[in-house]
C-alpha cells in the first residue's frame, strides 16, 4: 500500500506528531451509514456503488487533513469508525473488483472532474437525483447545474478548505461529507485502515497533496522546524546577522558567526534560505569567506537541499539568469572562486 499512498504513517500520529509535521485536521460532520454501506465519489459521479466491505451501522465523523502554506487544502479525506490502532491498510474495492487483477502501478479509486469529492451513504445518490429534479422544475431555463444552483452557497469556491455535510432532501437520511479534492480533478485511491482483528478503523481518500505525512515540502519543513526551535534571542541574532550581511557590516557579521550565534546552514528568518544561499544570492564573497573559515559545508543542508544541488551550481544558475535577462548582476569571480574552493575541499 505504500506504493499507492506515502501518507499511511499519518494514521499512527498523535496530535503532537501531527502538529510537528504541520498537519491540521478539520471536522466536516457526522455521516450516517444505514446498513454500514460506504460510498466514495467525485461529485459528478454520485451513483458510485458502495464498497464491498461493510462497517457496523452507525454515525461516523468525517474530517479532512491538510498541510500548511501551499499545502493548506484538503489532502486526506477521512472517515473514522473506531479508536482502535490501525494494523494494516488495504485498497477499497467495489463488487467485481479484485486487487490481484491490477497491473503494477495501478489502483482502484474514484474519478473527480468537478474538484469536489465525498464520502457518502447509500441514500445520497437517490436524494440528490430527487433534489436535482425538483430544482430543474422550479428554476426552468434558469437552472445551470446541481453545483451552481444547490451547492454553490455552501461551497462558493473562494477557499482552499471548503467543506460541507450535505443533505439534498430535508428529512432524508441521504447525505455526503464533501470537500475539495486537493489540487482538483484526478483519479484518487480509497484505502481502508484495518485493526488487528480485520475490523475497519477508518477509510481515507488520498488527494496527493502531501507526501510522507509532511504538511510542508521538505525544504520548507526543515526551515520551519529550525525556526520554531529558536529562542527569542536566537531569532534576534538571526535577524541582526542577516542585516549585517545585507548592509556590508562584515565585522558585525563575522562576530555572529565566530560566536556561533548563527551557523552557515541556519535558515534566514526573513527569506527561508540558509545564510550560505543568501550570501550567494546577495553576491557577498566576504560573507561567504567568513562562513567557509568557520567550517561551512560544501553540501547544502536540509534547508537548501530540496532546491539547491550544490552551492556552485546555484551560483551558476544565477549567472545564467543574469546572462539571459540582464536584470541581475553575475556573481563575482571572487565568489565563484571561493565556491570552487569549497567544492574541491580546499577551503582554508
Amino acid at each position: 500500500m505504500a506504493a499507492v499512498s506515502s501518507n499511511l504513517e499519518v494514521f499512527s500520529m498523535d496530535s503532537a506528531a501531527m502538529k510537528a509535521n504541520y498537519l491540521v485536521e478539520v471536522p466536516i460532520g457526522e455521516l450516517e451509514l444505514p446498513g454500514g454501506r460506504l460510498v466514495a465519489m467525485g461529485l459528478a459521479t454520485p451513483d458510485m456503488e458502495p464498497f464491498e466491505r461493510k462497517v457496523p451501522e452507525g454515525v461516523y465523523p468525517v474530517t479532512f487533513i491538510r498541510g500548511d502554506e501551499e499545502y493548506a487544502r484538503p489532502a486526506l479525506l477521512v472517515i473514522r469508525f473506531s479508536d482502535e490502532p490501525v494494523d494494516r491498510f488495504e485498497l477499497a474495492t467495489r463488487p467485481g473488483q479484485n486487487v490481484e487483477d491490477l497491473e503494477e502501478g495501478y489502483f482502484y479509486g474514484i474519478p473527480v472532474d468537478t474538484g469536489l469529492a465525498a464520502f457518502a451513504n447509500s441514500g445520497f445518490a437517490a436524494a440528490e437525483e430527487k433534489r436535482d429534479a425538483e430544482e430543474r422544475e422550479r428554476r426552468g431555463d434558469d437552472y445551470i447545474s446541481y453545483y451552481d444552483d444547490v451547492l454553490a452557497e455552501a461551497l462558493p469556491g473562494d477557499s482552499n478548505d471548503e467543506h460541507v455535510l450535505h443533505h439534498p432532501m430535508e428529512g432524508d437520511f441521504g447525505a455526503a461529507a464533501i470537500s475539495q479534492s486537493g489540487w482538483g480533478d484526478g483519479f484518487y485511491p480509497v484505502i481502508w485502515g484495518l485493526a488487528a482483528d480485520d475490523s475497519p478503523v477508518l477509510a481515507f481518500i488520498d488527494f496527493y497533496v502531501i507526501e510522507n505525512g509532511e504538511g510542508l515540502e521538505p525544504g520548507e519543513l526543515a526551515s520551519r522546524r529550525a525556526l520554531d526551535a529558536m529562542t527569542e534571542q536566537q531569532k534576534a541574532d538571526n535577524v541582526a546577522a542577516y542585516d549585517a550581511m545585507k548592509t556590508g557590516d562584515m565585522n558585525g557579521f563575522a562576530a555572529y558567526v565566530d560566536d556561533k550565534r548563527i551557523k552557515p546552514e541556519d535558515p534566514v528568518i526573513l527569506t527561508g534560505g540558509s545564510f550560505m544561499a543568501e550570501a550567494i544570492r546577495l553576491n557577498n564573497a566576504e560573507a561567504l569567506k567568513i562562513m567557509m573559515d568557520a567550517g561551512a559545508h560544501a553540501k547544502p543542508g536540509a534547508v537548501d537541499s530540496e532546491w539547491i544541488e550544490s552551492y556552485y551550481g546555484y551560483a551558476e544558475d544565477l549567472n545564467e539568469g543574469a546572462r539571459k535577462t540582464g536584470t541581475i548582476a553575475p556573481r563575482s569571480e571572487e565568489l565563484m572562486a571561493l565556491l570552487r574552493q569549497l567544492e574541491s575541499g580546499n577551503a582554508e
Side-chain angles (χ1 to χ4, degrees):
M1 290 309 305
V4 178
S5 171
S6 68
N7 295 304
L8 304 180
E9 64 183 275
V10 168
F11 301 103
S12 62
M13 293 180 182
D14 59 17
S15 58
M18 293 269 288
K19 184 177 180 180
N21 275 23
Y22 299 94
L23 296 173
V24 176
E25 190 156 13
V26 179
I28 296 178
E30 295 197 330
L31 182 65
E32 181 183 3
L33 294 181
R37 307 308 302 273
L38 177 67
V39 179
M41 62 186 187
L43 262 290
T45 55
D47 55 350
M48 298 286 282
E49 283 187 276
F51 292 116
E52 194 164 31
R53 178 182 288 276
K54 292 184 179 181
V55 303
E57 186 171 299
V59 179
Y60 301 105
V62 183
T63 65
F64 68 80
I65 294 172
R66 63 166 174 81
D68 200 0
E69 294 190 355
E70 70 269 35
Y71 296 157
R73 59 186 65 239
L76 307 170
L77 185 62
V78 187
I79 182 168
R80 300 180 187 272
F81 311 111
S82 82
D83 294 327
E84 291 295 312
V86 175
D87 180 69
R88 67 182 183 88
F89 295 90
E90 71 173 28
L91 200 62
T93 58
R94 297 180 176 82
Q97 294 178 334
N98 188 335
V99 293
E100 294 179 358
D101 296 334
L102 290 169
E103 297 181 25
E104 186 176 354
Y106 287 78
F107 55 81
Y108 296 118
I110 60 166
V112 175
D113 61 7
T114 59
L116 297 171
F119 279 125
N121 59 30
S122 57
F124 177 76
E128 187 201 50
E129 183 178 10
K130 186 175 181 180
R131 175 71 178 276
D132 186 61
E134 288 185 359
E135 294 295 330
R136 286 178 184 275
E137 182 176 354
R138 184 170 70 86
R139 297 173 185 264
D141 292 341
D142 292 332
Y143 186 78
I144 301 173
S145 70
Y146 193 83
Y147 173 81
D148 290 293
D149 294 291
V150 179
L151 286 176
E153 185 174 345
L155 300 165
D158 56 9
S159 171
N160 285 339
D161 62 355
E162 289 182 332
H163 59 276
V164 64
L165 183 65
H166 178 56
H167 287 80
M169 299 296 298
E170 187 175 350
D172 190 288
F173 78 89
I178 303 169
S179 79
Q180 293 189 342
S181 53
W183 301 113
D185 299 345
F187 189 79
Y188 303 109
V190 186
I191 297 172
W192 292 107
L194 304 174
D197 63 1
D198 210 41
S199 63
V201 175
L202 57 85
F204 75 95
I205 306 170
D206 192 331
F207 296 126
Y208 294 131
V209 172
I210 63 173
E211 295 181 357
N212 304 315
E214 296 174 345
L216 292 166
E217 62 88 20
E220 179 61 29
L221 183 67
S223 178
R224 186 78 71 83
R225 283 175 172 166
L227 294 175
D228 287 349
M230 289 182 184
T231 65
E232 290 305 312
Q233 183 59 57
Q234 287 171 328
K235 291 177 182 177
D237 289 343
N238 188 289
V239 172
Y242 184 57
D243 184 65
M245 178 194 285
K246 284 199 306 178
T247 60
D249 176 10
M250 291 299 97
N251 288 332
F253 180 71
Y256 284 103
V257 175
D258 293 343
D259 293 345
K260 297 186 176 3
R261 285 184 283 171
I262 64 105
K263 298 188 291 294
E265 67 273 17
D266 282 349
V268 176
I269 289 175
L270 297 177
T271 67
S274 73
F275 279 95
M276 286 289 286
E278 281 299 293
I280 296 168
R281 186 181 70 83
L282 295 172
N283 202 9
N284 191 327
E286 192 171 352
L288 179 62
K289 179 68 164 58
I290 289 168
M291 290 187 286
M292 288 171 60
D293 289 344
H297 297 291
K299 184 179 180 181
V303 170
D304 297 326
S305 60
E306 286 299 308
W307 62 288
I308 295 178
E309 291 186 11
S310 76
Y311 288 123
Y312 185 83
Y314 174 49
E316 283 281 34
D317 288 343
L318 291 173
N319 286 342
E320 181 64 21
R323 286 190 290 270
K324 286 182 176 179
T325 67
T327 58
I328 58 174
R331 308 303 90 184
S332 70
E333 181 50 42
E334 181 185 3
L335 185 136
M336 297 303 293
L338 285 170
L339 289 172
R340 286 191 291 270
Q341 190 180 51
L342 180 66
E343 291 219 330
S344 69
N346 295 325
E348 297 179 358

